[in-house]
C-alpha cells in the first residue's frame, strides 16, 4: 500500500502543537467520480503549506473543537502544489501536472500539513508562473480574509479605512488590498517593530498601540483634523471599546467589520446591540472566510503582477511543524509562516 507522511492530532491539549505527531499513513486517493463542486476530490501533491491562527484555535475551541472534524485529523487550511489526479466529472478546468494554490473550508479531516491533500474544487486555482510554491501557500485564507471584508463593506475609491491589527498575515494583505481597491487613506495599528514595515506597505498613518491608546488617538484625530472613516476592519477581535466608541471617528453610514474573534457571545452582543454601541448609524458585520475561485485567482494575479506583496515571516522544514505553531502562537510574526514539504525539483 502506498503511504505518505502527515502531521496528525487526536487530542486537544494546550498548547496545540503538543498534540501533533508526524505519522506514516495510507496515501490519500481521489474518488473515481465527483458529484459536487464542494466534494474534496482533487488529489494534490503538496510542496508548501502555510499555517493560520484558526489552525490551532478552532480545534481547541470548547464544544466546536470536538465536532469540527473526524480524528485523527491533519491541520492546515492553505497549501500549494501540483495536481496529481482529477476525478471524472469534477467541476474544474484543472488537470494533472498543473501548479496550484489551494484553501480548505471547514470542516475537513485531511489538512495541508501532509505530503498529499484532497483539494476542494471551489478552493483551488492555478498558481501563476511568477509565484513560488511558498508564496502560493501563503495566499489562501489570509488574503481572502483581507479582500472579502473590504468587498462586504462595499469599499470604493476615495474611502478612508481603519484596520485594527495591521501587521499580521491578514492585516498586511488588508492594507495593500484596500489601497488597490482605491482607498484614499488607510490607518493601521501595530507594535513598534512593525511601524516602518506598515508604512512601506502603503499605510498613510500608523498607530503604535504600545505607545498610545488607539481609541484616544482616533477620537483626537477626528476632532482635530475632521478625519472620519468609512470602513473599520477589526482584526484583533478583543477590543470592545473600538466599536463602542466608533461614532466618534466613523462616518454615519459607515461599517464596522469584525474579522477576528472566536468568542460567539462577544460577536452576538455587537450584532444585537449595534445601535446602542455605535451611535445608531453605523453598521456592524461579522465575517468568516469562504472559498471563491474568482477572488482567489484575482489575488494570485495581483501578487504575480507585483501589485500585492506576499510577506513571508519564516519558512520551516516539514519536520519542524511544532516549532512553526509555537512561533505562530507567539503573535509576533511579520507576515506568513510557511512549512516546506520537500520534493524533487521544487521551486
Amino acid at each position: 500500500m502506498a503511504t505518505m507522511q502527515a502531521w496528525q492530532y487526536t487530542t486537544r491539549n494546550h498548547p496545540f502543537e503538543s498534540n501533533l505527531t508526524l505519522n506514516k499513513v495510507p496515501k490519500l486517493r481521489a474518488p473515481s467520480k465527483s458529484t459536487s463542486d464542494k466534494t474534496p476530490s482533487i488529489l494534490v501533491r503538496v510542496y508548501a503549506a502555510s499555517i493560520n491562527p484558526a489552525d490551532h484555535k478552532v480545534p481547541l475551541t470548547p464544544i466546536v473543537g470536538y465536532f469540527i472534524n473526524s480524528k485523527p485529523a491533519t491541520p492546515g487550511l492553505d497549501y500549494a502544489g501540483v495536481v496529481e489526479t482529477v476525478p471524472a466529472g469534477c467541476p474544474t478546468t484543472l488537470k494533472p501536472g498543473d501548479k496550484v494554490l489551494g484553501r480548505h473550508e471547514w470542516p475537513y479531516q485531511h489538512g495541508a500539513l501532509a505530503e498529499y491533500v484532497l483539494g476542494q474544487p471551489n478552493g483551488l486555482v492555478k498558481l501563476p508562473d511568477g509565484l513560488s510554491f511558498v508564496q502560493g501557500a501563503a495566499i489562501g485564507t489570509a488574503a481572502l480574509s483581507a479582500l472579502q471584508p473590504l468587498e462586504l463593506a462595499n469599499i470604493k475609491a476615495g474611502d478612508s479605512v481603519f484596520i485594527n491589527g495591521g501587521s499580521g498575515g491578514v492585516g498586511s494583505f488588508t492594507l495593500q488590498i484596500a489601497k488597490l481597491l482605491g482607498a484614499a487613506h488607510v490607518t493601521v495599528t501595530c507594535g513598534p517593530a512593525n511601524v516602518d514595515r506598515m508604512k512601506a506597505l502603503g499605510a498613510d498613518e500608523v498607530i503604535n498601540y504600545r505607545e498610545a491608546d488607539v481609541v484616544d488617538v482616533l477620537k483626537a484625530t477626528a476632532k482635530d483634523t475632521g478625519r472620519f472613516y468609512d470602513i473599520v476592519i477589526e482584526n484583533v477581535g478583543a477590543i470592545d471599546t473600538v466599536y463602542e466608541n466608533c461614532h466618534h471617528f466613523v462616518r454615519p453610514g459607515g461599517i464596522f467589520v469584525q474579522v477576528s474573534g472566536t468568542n460567539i457571545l462577544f460577536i452576538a452582543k455587537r450584532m444585537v446591540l449595534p445601535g446602542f454601541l455605535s451611535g445608531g448609524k453605523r453598521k456592524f458585520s461579522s465575517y468568516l472566510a469562504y472559498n471563491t475561485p474568482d477572488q482567489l485567482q484575482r489575488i494570485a494575479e495581483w501578487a504575480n503582477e507585483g501589485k500585492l506583496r506576499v510577506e513571508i515571516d519564516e519558512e520551516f522544514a516539514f519536520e519542524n511543524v511544532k516549532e512553526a505553531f509555537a512561533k505562530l502562537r507567539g503573535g509576533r510574526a511579520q507576515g506568513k509562516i510557511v512549512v516546506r514539504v520537500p520534493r524533487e525539483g521544487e521551486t
Side-chain angles (χ1 to χ4, degrees):
M1 176 184 293
T3 61
M4 69 177 194
Q5 291 191 97
W7 285 94
Q8 295 181 317
Y9 66 95
T10 58
T11 55
R12 301 172 60 253
N13 301 313
H14 291 266
F16 175 72
E17 61 268 21
S18 69
N19 304 288
L20 294 173
T21 57
L22 182 57
N23 296 325
K24 184 171 288 189
V25 299
K27 179 183 172 182
L28 295 174
R29 301 175 67 90
S32 59
K33 294 179 64 176
S34 181
T35 59
S36 166
D37 64 354
K38 291 189 177 180
T39 299
S41 57
I42 298 175
L43 184 64
V44 177
R45 189 175 56 194
V46 179
Y47 280 64
S50 70
I51 57 176
N52 299 278
D55 293 326
H56 66 87
K57 289 183 178 180
V58 172
L60 298 183
T61 300
I63 301 176
V64 173
Y66 284 104
F67 302 105
I68 195 65
N69 52 29
S70 301
K71 308 295 187 299
T74 295
L77 290 167
D78 301 324
Y79 58 93
V82 176
V83 173
E84 183 160 299
T85 305
V86 179
C90 185
T92 183
T93 59
L94 296 172
K95 60 185 184 300
D98 284 344
K99 293 182 178 181
V100 292
L101 64 91
R103 176 186 180 272
H104 277 318
E105 284 186 327
W106 299 96
Y108 64 88
Q109 181 180 8
H110 305 292
L113 291 172
E115 292 182 296
Y116 292 87
V117 69
L118 288 173
Q120 299 167 341
N122 70 344
L124 271 173
V125 298
K126 282 191 175 182
L127 180 69
D129 291 339
L131 297 183
S132 67
F133 288 118
V134 167
Q135 291 172 305
I139 288 174
T141 298
L144 284 178
S145 295
L147 173 62
Q148 290 174 347
L150 290 167
E151 294 200 333
L152 173 67
N154 295 313
I155 188 172
K156 60 186 182 299
D159 277 352
S160 291
V161 180
F162 169 62
I163 304 167
N164 194 31
S167 60
V170 175
S172 58
F173 276 128
T174 308
L175 163 57
Q176 296 179 81
I177 292 175
K179 283 292 190 177
L180 280 172
L181 296 178
H185 181 99
V186 178
T187 297
V188 303
T189 66
C190 67
N194 288 294
V195 171
D196 290 341
R197 175 173 154 256
M198 292 294 94
K199 291 178 180 178
L201 288 177
D204 298 286
E205 181 180 357
V206 181
I207 302 173
N208 179 352
Y209 65 81
R210 293 284 182 84
E211 295 182 355
D213 181 273
V214 172
V215 170
D216 286 348
V217 172
L218 294 172
K219 290 167 69 173
T221 301
K223 181 179 179 180
D224 296 342
T225 70
R227 180 171 305 288
F228 284 77
Y229 294 93
D230 302 284
I231 299 169
V232 173
I233 302 295
E234 172 61 76
N235 289 324
V236 176
I239 303 180
D240 265 330
T241 54
V242 175
Y243 183 62
E244 292 169 355
N245 287 280
C246 73
H247 56 287
H248 291 294
F249 52 84
V250 178
R251 302 182 196 280
I255 183 169
F256 187 108
V257 183
Q258 175 79 36
V259 176
S260 179
T262 58
N263 188 322
I264 296 174
L265 293 178
F266 177 76
I267 293 176
K269 181 181 75 172
R270 290 183 172 185
M271 297 195 71
V272 172
L273 302 173
F276 295 99
L277 297 178
S278 69
K281 297 180 181 179
R282 286 86 181 166
K283 181 180 178 183
F284 175 83
S285 291
S286 61
Y287 162 81
L288 182 65
Y290 56 92
N291 286 346
T292 302
D294 290 346
Q295 290 179 322
L296 199 55
Q297 193 72 70
R298 184 176 10 150
I299 294 167
E301 292 301 334
W302 279 338
N304 191 49
E305 294 164 4
K307 297 177 180 178
L308 184 67
R309 188 187 306 177
V310 181
E311 293 202 310
I312 308 299
D313 176 88
E314 187 172 353
E315 298 176 28
F316 285 83
F318 191 57
E319 61 269 23
N320 295 331
V321 160
K322 291 187 178 185
E323 289 86 344
F325 272 108
K327 178 165 189 178
L328 179 67
R329 288 190 302 100
R332 295 292 181 264
Q334 298 184 351
K336 294 290 295 179
I337 294 174
V338 178
V339 175
R340 297 188 72 110
V341 183
R343 297 284 180 177
E344 184 179 353
E346 75 175 290
T347 60

